[in-house]
Amino acid sequence: MSYKKTLVKFVIKKTPKTMILWAANKKARGVAKLTDFSFNSEERKLYAQMLLSGEQDATNLWIEDFTLITQEKSFLIVIHQAQSNRPWIDTLLRNFVLEREWKIPDNHADLIHYLLALENSRQEENKA
């Protein structure tokens, strides 16, 4: 395993959840506040709990199946299955998000590349 992959793997495992929440909330300022999340790259599942601006109750989002597509140095994500605890978000997901290709911004492509490389190395380690 390369030095970079080892370092990224270590950082991902050791990054406290509070730091990830802080970084996400800095990006989502004015729209939502992420209050909890869990991510399992092997099972392709993401859970996020957030407080949308102007709302008093938390919104939960479950993404239970997605595909990452590599195109040269960029990535696309296709979400196959998702649901929330808000009917209007479920409708939005069904009509505008599910089964469509969404380009991941270029400034996040390196991170996605390393995460995929880590996932591939984990799969190889499990086979050995």
Side-chain angles (χ1 to χ4, degrees):
M1 191 179 308
S2 77
Y3 175 72
K4 272 188 173 180
K5 288 180 188 176
T6 304
L7 181 61
V8 171
K9 186 175 184 177
F10 174 78
V11 169
I12 290 169
K13 283 185 174 181
K14 298 297 180 182
T15 301
K17 192 174 197 175
T18 54
M19 184 173 273
I20 294 170
L21 291 171
W22 174 82
N25 287 328
K26 188 173 179 181
K27 280 280 198 187
R29 185 174 294 147
V31 177
K33 180 179 181 184
L34 187 64
T35 56
D36 193 19
F37 77 96
S38 65
F39 178 67
N40 185 323
S41 64
E42 292 171 10
E43 294 182 14
R44 307 268 183 190
K45 292 184 178 190
L46 169 75
Y47 164 75
Q49 182 181 65
M50 64 202 99
L51 188 59
L52 299 173
S53 293
E55 295 281 328
Q56 296 203 358
D57 296 323
T59 299
N60 298 310
L61 176 66
W62 297 270
I63 296 176
E64 298 185 357
D65 186 20
F66 63 90
T67 303
L68 286 171
I69 301 168
T70 307
Q71 286 187 340
E72 295 176 18
K73 287 196 168 192
S74 65
F75 295 93
L76 302 171
I77 187 167
V78 179
I79 300 171
H80 304 289
Q81 187 177 9
Q83 65 180 16
S84 74
N85 63 337
R86 298 278 195 267
W88 67 270
I89 294 177
D90 286 341
T91 301
L92 180 75
L93 290 167
R94 240 185 347 270
N95 293 337
F96 299 105
V97 175
L98 296 179
E99 302 302 332
R100 294 184 185 202
E101 293 181 350
W102 295 91
K103 186 176 186 296
I104 295 174
D106 290 336
N107 58 339
H108 299 299
D110 283 342
L111 176 61
I112 299 298
H113 175 73
Y114 288 125
L115 290 173
L116 288 175
L118 287 174
E119 184 176 313
N120 290 337
S121 69
R122 273 192 219 138
Q123 290 172 355
E124 289 172 10
E125 287 172 5
N126 289 339
K127 288 179 184 176

